[in-house]
Amino acid sequence: MKKLQYKVLWVALSIVGVMGCQPDLLETIPNDRISKEIFWQTLEDAEFAANAVYPSLDGTSIFSYDGLSDHLLTNHPFNANVELQRGFGTIASGRYFNEWQDAYQTIRRANDFMDNIDQVEESDQEAINRLKGEVMTLRAYQYIKLAMLFGDVPLLTSGIDIEAGRTVTRDPVSEIWDFISSDLSQAAEWLPYQNGSRIGKGAALGLKARAMLYAGRFAEAAAAAKTIIDSQEYALYPDYFELFQYEGENSQEVLLAREFAADVNSHNIYATAAPWSQIPGSTGSLYVPTQAVIDLYPMANGLPISDPESGYDQLNPFENRDPRLYHSVFLSERTPLPDGGTYGSTPGTDGSDAVQITVYSTATGYNIRKYVDEEDYTNPSNSGLNIILLRYAEVLLTYAEAKIELGEIDQSVYDAMNQVRQRESVDLPPITPEIADSASELRELVRTERSVELAFEGFRLFDIRRWELAEQVMPGVPMGRYYEEEGDWVQIRLDGFDRSFDPGRDYLWPIPQRERELNTNLTQNAGY
């Protein structure tokens, strides 16, 4: 035993002696993570760091923004959106915190990239600038959402430590828009139009056009949109339905998309949107259209259904309507389902998705058809369908709206709107000066056009805020489809699900309480 003790002591003393001779022996580089000491050396390192920012782009969450508007109902009663729709959101609501946290996590990654990219010793400066442009665009994407959701927010353009994070303050939203405009302009200079599957010049310019439209800076919005239009790099995909199916992926209409791949990087947008009957063993129908959006689709002759000359028949409400309605919504027994059957939602019947047939079936009698691809039917939670975040139709409508708000109504405004309306698979009659020539008439038309063209793509919440329409369209009981019951024509009413909107409070979300507990310098928005 004593001999063993002596040996242990000798080994211990030997180790101490060696350590004394080699003071840096324990200063090793961790082998379970990438250290800054060995990173930021090659162009490949820079590409890896830029790639780490891409996953922050929205995916299936696009529906959740419309799910807080008048156009989609959050159909599952225990979903976090429900309390917000009904006006019950508080400073502790998880949805507010998650949006804030996700945005600033992305901004932190982007700032880390921008703080370190110039350490890379690379002779190909064009490649370095291209990566900078991609990351700056991704950072701006998050700031656009933060500005629209929260108003004044901290503008962080470089990395900060924990202590600094406890003292930052909110910057005026005007400064956020200034930063977005500047960063996206610089990014556009560095980016090529075609950049493989990565962010290109069109995404930077398109997001700038969107941001400046949201900010009410119409001249900048129109200029950015016109640069894209004049480039002739993009065009409308002829088939509106296929645009949101696998056939339309990577088409010339897409400026920015979140890319996915089945079995590798998949999502569940099919399971989120499809009718309950099309998702064996799952829930489905998380968000469902309301009558409010259905009524915005004009007749095939271009007239609104409210026009006595339109030919609209309330007893046959889906006849001769804008084709985009059929492509975007599961409507009635005429709509084919992915399993080969037909959609049936009439209450009190044995239709495939009759209202109240289950707790998860549609409550309004409608379901979203965009992004419901029959290829995903057999594996609904393993979709590899790309999610479009910016497309050429939006650019055209942004240009038209900005020019109308500027009072610069010329033929280019009509051309932009009519390109969208006269897509090959839509083919509505053109808007002409004889139909509408005043700013007020054209404003109404372009807003309607935007609402139906971009339905369920995540724009409605922001649009009704910037148009200051939310207090008009949000309050009240959500309404569903009309149907015949005992000889009477009745409409589904979701009594007990009253939505509310306080214009003195609800145009902005509150700064999350958890953030204000960590940083008392963050002031709160009015009404919270």
Side-chain angles (χ1 to χ4, degrees):
M1 179 65 68
K2 287 184 177 180
K3 287 183 178 180
L4 179 60
Q5 290 173 340
Y6 287 140
K7 285 183 179 180
V8 172
L9 180 60
W10 181 84
V11 171
L13 291 172
S14 298
I15 291 173
V16 171
V18 171
M19 290 174 62
C21 297
Q22 302 180 52
D24 61 344
L25 181 64
L26 297 183
E27 294 180 10
T28 58
I29 295 174
N31 58 14
D32 64 342
R33 66 189 69 93
I34 297 176
S35 169
K36 287 188 176 182
E37 281 73 17
I38 61 172
F39 200 69
W40 299 112
Q41 295 182 10
T42 67
L43 183 60
E44 186 179 36
D45 291 341
E47 289 175 345
F48 284 148
N51 291 346
V53 190
Y54 272 84
S56 65
L57 287 171
D58 287 316
T60 59
S61 61
I62 59 170
F63 289 150
S64 72
Y65 297 109
D66 281 5
L68 292 170
S69 77
D70 58 323
H71 282 181
L72 283 182
L73 175 76
T74 301
N75 197 50
H76 294 182
F78 301 110
N79 185 275
N81 265 13
V82 173
E83 66 174 6
L84 273 61
Q85 275 196 314
R86 302 188 68 187
F88 299 155
T90 70
I91 56 177
S93 295
R95 179 67 194 278
Y96 301 145
F97 174 75
N98 291 337
E99 288 284 354
W100 180 282
Q101 177 179 250
D102 291 348
Y104 276 108
Q105 283 181 344
T106 301
I107 290 166
R108 181 181 179 88
R109 291 179 188 175
N111 287 342
D112 184 66
F113 177 95
M114 298 302 293
D115 289 345
N116 291 282
I117 181 63
D118 290 332
Q119 295 181 40
V120 176
E121 296 182 2
E122 173 60 51
S123 59
D124 189 351
Q125 189 60 43
E126 183 177 336
I128 294 294
N129 288 344
R130 185 183 70 246
L131 291 172
K132 286 182 179 179
E134 293 175 26
V135 172
M136 291 164 72
T137 302
L138 290 164
R139 181 171 60 183
Y141 181 91
Q142 298 298 330
Y143 271 121
I144 292 170
K145 290 200 299 180
L146 285 170
M148 290 301 293
L149 293 173
F150 299 101
D152 300 348
V153 293
L155 177 58
L156 307 179
T157 61
S158 61
I160 59 174
D161 59 23
I162 294 176
E163 287 307 310
R166 296 180 187 276
T167 60
V168 296
T169 59
R170 299 170 67 188
D171 294 287
V173 70
S174 60
E175 294 182 14
I176 308 299
W177 293 127
D178 289 342
F179 175 76
I180 291 169
S181 176
S182 175
D183 248 26
L184 289 175
S185 295
Q186 180 61 75
E189 288 186 21
W190 281 335
L191 290 166
Y193 272 108
Q194 302 304 322
N195 195 19
S197 61
R198 305 180 72 88
I199 283 174
K201 187 189 295 289
L205 288 172
L207 286 177
K208 180 177 179 179
R210 177 190 295 177
M212 295 301 97
L213 186 73
Y214 285 178
R217 301 180 180 185
F218 301 118
E220 287 187 77
K226 190 172 189 305
T227 299
I228 296 172
I229 295 169
D230 290 346
S231 74
Q232 300 185 341
E233 292 282 341
Y234 304 98
L236 297 179
Y237 189 72
D239 192 305
Y240 187 81
F241 176 70
E242 287 187 357
L243 177 61
F244 304 97
Q245 309 287 294
Y246 285 105
E247 292 91 338
E249 283 192 335
N250 303 313
S251 74
Q252 200 174 357
E253 181 163 348
V254 178
L255 282 73
L256 177 64
R258 173 77 186 273
E259 300 206 347
F260 292 93
D263 300 320
V264 179
N265 178 32
S266 61
H267 59 78
N268 65 342
I269 201 165
Y270 179 101
T272 298
W276 168 80
S277 66
Q278 302 305 292
I279 313 168
S282 186
T283 54
S285 301
L286 178 54
Y287 303 103
V288 295
T290 65
Q291 191 64 38
V293 66
I294 304 301
D295 287 346
L296 286 178
Y297 287 86
M299 300 296 288
N301 58 20
L303 296 175
I305 64 171
S306 58
D307 190 321
E309 303 298 319
S310 68
Y312 176 70
D313 179 4
Q314 190 180 44
L315 299 180
N316 296 286
F318 309 131
E319 294 297 322
N320 300 316
R321 299 290 291 275
D322 180 338
R324 289 172 294 189
L325 176 58
Y326 314 128
H327 299 326
S328 302
V329 182
F330 286 100
L331 291 165
S332 64
E333 286 71 12
R334 63 180 288 171
T335 314
L337 291 167
D339 68 356
T342 54
Y343 182 74
S345 66
T346 303
T349 70
D350 59 356
S352 63
D353 293 274
V355 172
Q356 296 183 339
I357 196 171
T358 76
V359 69
Y360 296 116
S361 63
T362 172
T364 63
Y366 302 114
N367 277 99
I368 300 170
R369 199 175 181 200
K370 278 183 177 178
Y371 290 111
V372 176
D373 193 303
E374 63 182 20
E375 287 189 32
D376 291 330
Y377 172 69
T378 57
N379 200 351
S381 295
N382 188 33
S383 177
L385 188 59
N386 293 346
I387 308 300
I388 301 171
L389 301 176
L390 175 62
R391 56 190 180 92
Y392 188 54
E394 180 196 344
V395 173
L396 290 168
L397 294 175
T398 292
Y399 175 79
E401 183 179 350
K403 292 279 284 185
I404 291 167
E405 295 301 332
L406 289 168
E408 299 175 357
I409 299 171
D410 55 22
Q411 187 59 43
S412 68
V413 173
Y414 295 95
D415 291 344
M417 285 195 289
N418 287 333
Q419 279 190 63
V420 177
R421 291 168 60 88
Q422 297 191 290
R423 186 194 300 262
E424 186 176 319
S425 61
V426 177
D427 197 27
L428 293 184
I431 296 171
T432 64
E434 289 72 30
I435 294 174
D437 61 355
S438 70
S440 60
E441 291 173 319
L442 287 168
R443 180 181 296 115
E444 187 67 25
L445 283 169
V446 77
R447 288 182 177 184
T448 299
E449 191 63 32
R450 181 179 173 89
S451 297
V452 299
E453 173 68 24
L454 304 177
F456 321 134
E457 296 179 46
F459 294 96
R460 181 64 175 177
L461 175 65
F462 301 130
D463 283 348
I464 60 176
R465 285 184 171 199
R466 65 189 181 86
W467 294 335
E468 298 184 352
L469 294 177
E471 65 265 38
Q472 300 175 34
V473 300
M474 283 298 295
V477 176
M479 306 297 287
R481 62 166 287 187
Y482 292 91
Y483 67 100
E484 187 176 358
E485 183 178 73
E486 298 179 354
D488 294 323
W489 198 242
V490 297
Q491 186 178 17
I492 294 172
R493 290 176 52 91
L494 277 81
D495 291 312
F497 194 97
D498 293 52
R499 294 177 307 202
S500 68
F501 189 90
D502 179 357
R505 184 192 71 172
D506 294 335
Y507 272 107
L508 292 175
W509 282 359
I511 306 303
Q513 178 64 16
R514 290 171 65 179
E515 292 298 317
R516 298 189 69 234
E517 288 173 352
L518 293 170
N519 179 3
T520 57
N521 290 319
L522 293 175
T523 57
Q524 186 56 278
N525 283 325
Y528 293 98

